[in-house]
Amino acid sequence: MEKFDVIVVGAGPAGLAAAYTCAKAGLKTIVFERGEYPGSKNVMGGVLYRQATEEIIPGFYKEAPLERPIVEQNYWFLTDKSGVKMGYRSEKFGEEPYNNFTVLRAKFDRWLAKQVEKAGALIINETVVEDLLYERDRVVGVRTDRPEGDLRAEMVIICEGVNSLLTQKAGLRGDIPPEHLAVAVKEIIYLPAEKIEDRFGLEKGQGAVIELIGDPTYGMMGTGFIYTNRESISIGVGALLSEVVQRKINPNELLEHMKQHPLVRPLIEGGESKEYLAHLIPEGGYKAMPRLYASGVLVAGDSAMLVNGIHREGSNLAMMSGKFAAQTAIDAISTGDFSNQMLARYQERLQNSFVLQDLQKYQNATGLFEENPQYFSQYPAMLNQVMHEFFTVDNVPKKEKQKKMLEIIRQHRSLRQVAGDMFKLWRVLG
Ligand code: FAD
């Protein structure tokens, strides 16, 4: 049986970053991807973060198939008929070396996979890794769904995304409860570039993103999103799986509902729907992470629950963790030391970076929003009603108007409750 130094399972951002790092270090590396090609199975908004990507391939943005550099980011707090908009725009984000980009993963992952192959790794598509191979209690390879599909390696890096069965088979985690998962649906709607630029107020080639809170999820914990690509718009919505199940709401219905919103409809009007996709997002955060390593095996990306839902970051955590896992595999293979002490370096690397520091910082966020639904339901409504009153010129003296605005707040939450909510938010996010 042919033997490799490293087997990577899954060719998403985590797996490709891991394979690239291993191959560049001269390790004999193979990647298995169940999709027809890397990116074919992926569903991401998607915003790609430059700095994390440059950690893998410096200057990637000069060649990679990116959609638009993002110059404007927005949060919209919506009721069914109105919205309070908050955002930031900077021309600097539109200049080299840029900040973040919108991407279509089907194109981007394919390009990244080419770089991985150029670095010397082998990528085998349309192959599912079904199990891990063991010698005593050490992982020594994988079993694929190909005939004679067993393959051995010194190290296996699991990067198979959110539903990682191998992580479970390796005994690193149990079942993921529905309150640790969000379900998201996304549609790609084609529109000419000039129309996108007109509708979003952009210069040629520039991009904007909008996160939508409140009405798009019927007040459930979650968000909608609208991202501008070159000649299409990615539009989607995601909410906590446990709430979606409990309220018996079909996620497709959420997206259709959001597309009809009076602030959203004009942005996509006349567009042609090209793709409809659904996916899970691991939202459990730091407290829900599996064990990150066991003898002969490391886990990275979504398989390790490395998603920062508060900041909509996943691909960057995936790439950084893929790189750190690879560096740890390189250390282990070059020294012949596969002990737990050596593999613990992976966790240390994550801990010394923003990856675990951020997840640790927000470790109570999921719990806070689950236990306090008012943040996604009552607050967007309150904010909209207060702004409606503020902008209505109706010959009411301003002093009286301020009283009315205070009354609106009180109708939703007492001032004591508002103070408590803000304090809890500050404690968890601050
Ligand atoms: P994945 O990208 O899921 O890749 C896993 C790969 O493994 C897949 O290609 C899959 O086909 C393959 N695979 C799975 N099982 C096997 C197996 N047994 N054998 C072989 N191959 C296998 N993140 C951002 O940074 N920005 C965003 O804007 C953003 N928006 C998002 C919007 C949505 C709707 C969703 C669902 C997610 C979003 N994320 C975003 C999160 C981001 O997509 C993930 O965090 C990121 O893709 C994780 O990368 P990964 O490599 O760990 O997993």
Side-chain angles (χ1 to χ4, degrees):
M1 196 192 301
E2 196 179 354
K3 189 167 175 190
F4 281 78
D5 290 320
V6 176
I7 295 172
V8 178
V9 184
L16 293 172
Y20 187 84
T21 310
C22 288
K24 276 277 176 194
L27 297 188
K28 196 174 168 195
T29 308
I30 187 166
V31 185
F32 288 112
E33 166 55 46
R34 73 186 160 128
E36 194 187 330
Y37 55 86
S40 62
K41 294 266 182 197
N42 291 119
V43 185
M44 183 168 110
V47 176
L48 183 81
Y49 300 94
R50 177 182 64 80
Q51 306 221 11
T53 314
E54 290 227 75
E55 291 267 339
I56 314 301
I57 303 188
F60 74 97
Y61 60 85
K62 295 183 181 129
E63 314 167 17
L66 304 167
E67 293 301 308
R68 291 171 182 263
I70 299 164
V71 297
E72 188 178 304
Q73 303 217 46
N74 300 283
Y75 289 98
W76 288 3
F77 299 89
L78 302 182
T79 63
D80 59 344
K81 289 200 168 50
S82 63
V84 175
K85 301 177 174 184
M86 187 183 97
Y88 177 71
R89 179 172 180 140
S90 169
E91 289 305 298
K92 274 198 178 151
F93 287 158
E95 296 162 7
E96 273 202 54
Y98 307 106
N99 183 32
N100 309 323
F101 305 90
T102 49
V103 289
L104 291 169
R105 286 273 305 272
K107 284 194 214 165
F108 179 77
D109 286 15
R110 235 173 165 172
W111 175 85
L112 191 55
K114 282 264 169 317
Q115 314 314 305
V116 172
E117 283 173 331
K118 277 190 205 159
L122 192 62
I123 301 181
I124 309 290
N125 295 318
E126 298 186 276
T127 306
V128 179
V129 173
E130 291 180 332
D131 215 339
L132 299 166
L133 302 178
Y134 282 88
E135 233 171 58
R136 287 183 297 280
D137 50 2
R138 174 165 170 203
V139 173
V140 293
V142 298
R143 170 152 300 158
T144 71
D145 62 350
R146 293 195 165 225
E148 296 179 36
D150 287 3
L151 201 72
R152 289 174 70 92
E154 298 285 2
M155 290 290 308
V156 174
I157 306 181
I158 300 175
C159 305
E160 59 171 351
V162 56
N163 288 328
S164 180
L165 293 176
L166 296 178
T167 309
Q168 206 167 9
K169 284 182 174 174
L172 298 171
R173 70 159 170 85
D175 290 334
I176 305 178
E179 60 272 22
H180 290 167
L181 293 168
V183 57
V185 287
K186 171 188 160 184
E187 193 174 339
I188 301 177
I189 298 177
Y190 276 67
L191 273 174
E194 310 77 62
K195 248 199 185 133
I196 293 175
E197 283 147 13
D198 275 358
R199 289 181 184 182
F200 288 80
L202 297 165
E203 300 284 352
K204 196 171 169 14
Q206 291 182 338
V209 298
I210 307 169
E211 312 294 331
L212 307 98
I213 297 156
D215 184 67
T217 60
Y218 295 126
M220 291 184 288
M221 180 181 156
T223 52
F225 61 85
I226 302 175
Y227 301 156
T228 57
N229 304 316
R230 273 173 202 263
E231 295 196 308
S232 65
I233 286 174
S234 295
I235 181 166
V237 60
L240 212 59
L241 182 61
S242 50
E243 286 196 71
V244 168
V245 170
Q246 196 195 346
R247 287 172 62 171
K248 296 192 176 69
I249 293 173
N250 179 340
N252 297 332
E253 188 192 313
L254 281 183
L255 184 52
E256 287 313 311
H257 167 70
M258 186 176 118
K259 281 163 58 186
Q260 293 310 318
H261 193 280
L263 273 75
V264 175
R265 204 175 47 233
L267 298 177
I268 54 171
E269 209 152 58
E272 192 189 340
S273 174
K274 282 279 165 137
E275 276 182 67
Y276 210 98
L277 309 144
H279 210 272
L280 293 172
I281 309 177
E283 294 272 0
Y286 186 76
K287 289 181 176 167
M289 277 167 47
R291 273 194 58 211
L292 297 173
Y293 60 90
S295 189
V297 67
L298 299 158
V299 187
D302 276 14
S303 297
M305 236 336 129
L306 299 177
V307 166
N308 178 346
I310 302 286
H311 289 263
R312 183 246 288 124
E313 293 177 24
S315 60
N316 52 340
L317 279 67
M319 284 190 202
M320 294 302 293
S321 60
K323 178 179 165 172
F324 294 147
Q327 288 173 336
T328 309
I330 294 164
D331 288 351
I333 291 167
S334 62
T335 56
D337 175 1
F338 297 93
S339 64
N340 271 349
Q341 210 179 353
M342 170 58 83
L343 299 187
R345 284 191 189 177
Y346 172 45
Q347 183 128 10
E348 283 159 28
R349 286 182 161 109
L350 287 169
Q351 192 65 62
N352 291 333
S353 76
F354 73 92
V355 176
L356 283 195
Q357 286 173 23
D358 286 357
L359 292 189
Q360 228 162 352
K361 173 176 161 58
Y362 295 133
Q363 60 183 305
N364 295 321
T366 309
L368 173 77
F369 292 128
E370 259 172 55
E371 286 156 24
N372 296 275
Q374 67 271 18
Y375 290 113
F376 285 86
S377 54
Q378 281 171 303
Y379 278 99
M382 180 199 292
L383 211 55
N384 274 270
Q385 286 169 19
V386 167
M387 293 315 277
H388 190 87
E389 191 56 47
F390 181 80
F391 285 116
T392 307
V393 177
D394 51 4
N395 302 341
V396 172
K398 299 300 177 230
K399 201 164 181 180
E400 217 170 292
K401 199 165 254 302
Q402 281 169 0
K403 270 194 200 152
K404 274 172 104 176
M405 284 156 68
L406 208 58
E407 197 42 46
I408 292 170
I409 296 174
R410 282 208 190 98
Q411 279 164 11
H412 288 278
R413 306 281 290 163
S414 71
L415 293 184
R416 207 189 156 98
Q417 283 175 320
V418 172
D421 289 342
M422 293 307 126
F423 177 68
K424 281 187 273 185
L425 207 57
W426 172 76
R427 239 186 22 188
V428 167
L429 305 183

